[in-house]
Amino acid sequence: MIFESHAHILAKQFDQDRNEVIQRALENGIRAVLNVSDDMETSKKAVIYANENSQIFSSVGIHPHNGNDFKEEDLDILKKLALEQKTLAIGEIGLDYYYDFCEKNKQKDVFTKQLELAKQMDMPVIIHDRDAHKDTIDILSSFGKNINGVMHCYSGSAESSKILLNLGLYISFTGVITFKNASKSIEALKAIPLDRILLETDCPYMSPEPFRGTRNEPRNLVYIARKMAEVKQISYEKLLENLWDNSFNLFKKAAKYKQALEI
Ligand code: NI
């Protein structure tokens, strides 16, 4: 059983065949999919979509790319959406200094406000950090142990993963670990304890080998998990068992659905 911890199922890339994509995921052992939002519109849609599909859960939040759209009153709307039963996390939120879509101070402000919301609601966060490691760590550290969450699509070193682990965060890996030039990610994966790792596609992006460069989808988690088992030197079954439990340990609101998902 596999828990897809980060997929953008409502992305336009899936408009033609969304149901088939979900069906293929189920046929390949993906029993739960956390559909991650990146703005107010996808957040609202994600909640509705989760309510309509038993294996789908939602996260709500504003991605750093969309920081300029943020309005103070969005926090109240996000709060209401976060209270919904199948909303498991606030995200994805964070900092992205690679693209220049939103000014840095504005990004920090929107990130901090959503972390405050997560803290207030005692919900985990899904963190996006691209070329903004120092500021991301500084902001997260200012919350101490009051924030639970996952660093999604981890691209850092084994060394810097220690800081995240000390903050109590989980670390999530994508198909990047299957790439030929992935030695840094592989070293990080080796160093991170099994009980703090999550699995994600970040689809429709980041297809693992042998599909690199094509549209990604949740069933490709199988390829990422195989590589992960090899790196961690444990059986595929044992790996999946651990990651399945990790997902429910972090996304606590999913716990009441666990038994039903396992049947
Ligand atoms: Ni994402």
Side-chain angles (χ1 to χ4, degrees), residues 99-113:
Y99 291 103
D100 200 18
F101 295 150
C102 176
E103 192 254 324
K104 283 182 186 176
N105 281 330
K106 177 77 178 176
Q107 287 193 37
K108 286 190 215 173
D109 180 52
V110 175
F111 183 32
T112 305
K113 282 181 173 144

Side-chain angles (χ1 to χ4, degrees), residues 6-8 36-38 63 92 126 128 152-153 200 202-203 205:
H6 193 120
H8 299 278
V36 175
S37 302
D38 39 37
H63 190 287
E92 57 185 287
I126 299 167
H128 173 104
H152 120 83
C153 194
E200 64 167 298
D202 199 17
C203 66
Y205 318 105

Side-chain angles (χ1 to χ4, degrees), residues 35-65:
N35 175 41
V36 175
S37 302
D38 39 37
D39 59 14
M40 293 307 292
E41 195 192 331
T42 48
S43 296
K44 288 171 195 163
K45 285 183 180 162
V47 165
I48 297 167
Y49 191 64
N51 285 333
E52 290 169 351
N53 295 276
S54 54
Q55 277 87 3
I56 310 273
F57 296 89
S58 56
S59 81
V60 298
I62 299 171
H63 190 287
H65 287 342

